[in-house]
Amino acid sequence: MSDSQLVQLLENMLLTPSSDFYLSKILYNADGSALDPRTIAAVDLGSFSLEGVPIDIVIKKLNIRGLSNSQVKFDSGTNPEIVVDGSTVTFHAKQPNTQDGYQRPATVPNQILANGELHVTLDHSDMPPGTISLTINHVDDLTGVFSATEAVDGQLDTTVVNFSSLSINPVIGNGNLTIVVDLDTVFKATINQLLNEDANQKKIIDALNSEISNPDLLASLSQIATQEARKALANI
C-alpha cells in the first residue's frame, strides 16, 4: 500500500469515534504513556516582580488531565481541518469533544484540569511549598503533526506513526483559563492575581507547550499511536 493510501485510511479513522485510531483514543492512555493524563516533573515559570521584590516560581509534579477530550475541527463547511503532505499529517482539533459517538472515559474531565506543587522563592528566600490548580474551559486549537509509513511496503501490521509536534492554544483572558494558588503567606492573594494576568497565563501555556512537545513525550505518544493504528488497520 502506498503511503498516501495509508494516510488516507488513518485520516478517516482519526475522525471516527468507533476506531482505535480516533484522536481522543490515541491521546489517552490510563497508564500515563500518552498525552492524557500527563505529569510534568517541573515547570519553571521564571522570575517576576512582586511590588518591586524579585519572585521566582516553579510548579512541580504538575498533573494534567482532559487533553484527550478533543476532536478534529471542521471548517465552515464539512471539511476536517487536516492537511496532508505526502506521509505527513497536520491536524487542528478543539477541546472539549462534543462529537456524536464519543464516550469520554470517567477519568477524563470535560475541562482541562491541572494540579501541582507551587514552589516560590521570594527575594531569594524559599517559602513553604503550596499548591496550584489550573482550569481551561476550552481550547480553540490543539495542533498535532505526525507521519505514517509502512516499515514493510504493503504490510499494514508494520505501520509506524511518529508524532513530531504537539501544541495547545487556548484563549487567554475572558475567564477561559483560571488559576488558584494556596500558599501560606500574606502574599497569597497577590501571587494569585499575578498568575492570572493575561501575560503570565500565556507564560504558563508557553511553558506547558514546551513540555508536551519534548522528544520523550512525543516518542511515547508515537508508540501508543502506532499500536492503535495497527489495531485499527487490522480490521481492514
Side-chain angles (χ1 to χ4, degrees):
M1 178 176 291
S2 71
D3 289 345
S4 60
Q5 290 174 305
L6 172 64
V7 167
Q8 186 176 20
L9 284 172
L10 293 179
E11 178 184 356
N12 291 333
M13 292 173 176
L14 203 65
L15 306 169
T16 306
S18 60
S19 170
D20 290 305
F21 197 71
Y22 183 57
L23 179 61
S24 292
K25 293 181 182 179
I26 63 175
L27 295 182
Y28 172 76
N29 196 303
D31 66 7
S33 58
L35 180 64
D36 184 19
R38 196 71 190 182
T39 298
I40 298 174
V43 178
D44 189 346
L45 298 181
S47 299
F48 302 85
S49 177
L50 185 63
E51 299 177 3
V53 177
I55 176 173
D56 298 291
I57 300 177
V58 176
I59 304 170
K60 295 185 178 180
K61 299 178 182 178
L62 182 65
N63 179 258
I64 307 170
R65 297 179 297 124
L67 280 169
S68 66
N69 185 30
S70 302
Q71 67 182 92
V72 172
K73 295 196 296 183
F74 285 75
D75 61 17
S76 55
T78 58
N79 299 312
E81 295 191 16
I82 298 176
V83 177
V84 176
D85 182 8
S87 62
T88 300
V89 177
T90 301
F91 64 83
H92 297 276
K94 65 177 182 178
Q95 187 278 343
N97 186 337
T98 59
Q99 186 172 4
D100 290 341
Y102 168 61
Q103 295 184 341
R104 176 166 49 91
T107 55
V108 176
N110 192 46
Q111 301 165 306
I112 294 174
L113 303 177
N115 298 277
E117 299 176 0
L118 186 67
H119 294 260
V120 175
T121 301
L122 185 64
D123 198 18
H124 309 295
S125 297
D126 292 336
M127 304 179 67
T131 61
I132 182 170
S133 62
L134 179 149
T135 301
I136 303 175
N137 292 323
H138 62 86
V139 173
D140 288 345
D141 185 50
L142 184 154
T143 300
V145 181
F146 67 83
S147 63
T149 57
E150 291 173 329
V152 179
D153 188 38
Q155 296 187 16
L156 292 175
D157 60 352
T158 68
T159 295
V160 176
V161 177
N162 279 312
F163 270 82
S164 58
S165 177
L166 201 62
S167 65
I168 61 169
N169 302 286
V171 170
I172 301 296
N174 299 322
N176 183 47
L177 192 161
T178 55
I179 295 168
V180 177
V181 302
D182 188 10
L183 200 64
D184 186 16
T185 172
V186 295
F187 293 109
K188 182 176 79 171
T190 305
I191 293 173
N192 192 81
Q193 182 178 0
L194 174 73
L195 292 181
N196 277 287
E197 292 177 358
D198 288 0
N200 293 330
Q201 286 189 350
K202 184 179 184 305
K203 193 173 185 179
I204 291 175
I205 294 301
D206 289 344
L208 291 179
N209 275 325
S210 177
E211 293 293 334
I212 68 173
S213 64
N214 76 65
D216 288 343
L217 186 150
L218 293 175
S220 181
L221 180 58
S222 296
Q223 289 184 334
I224 295 295
T226 294
Q227 293 171 9
E228 297 307 310
R230 292 180 180 181
K231 284 167 58 178
L233 291 166
N235 297 321
I236 299 299

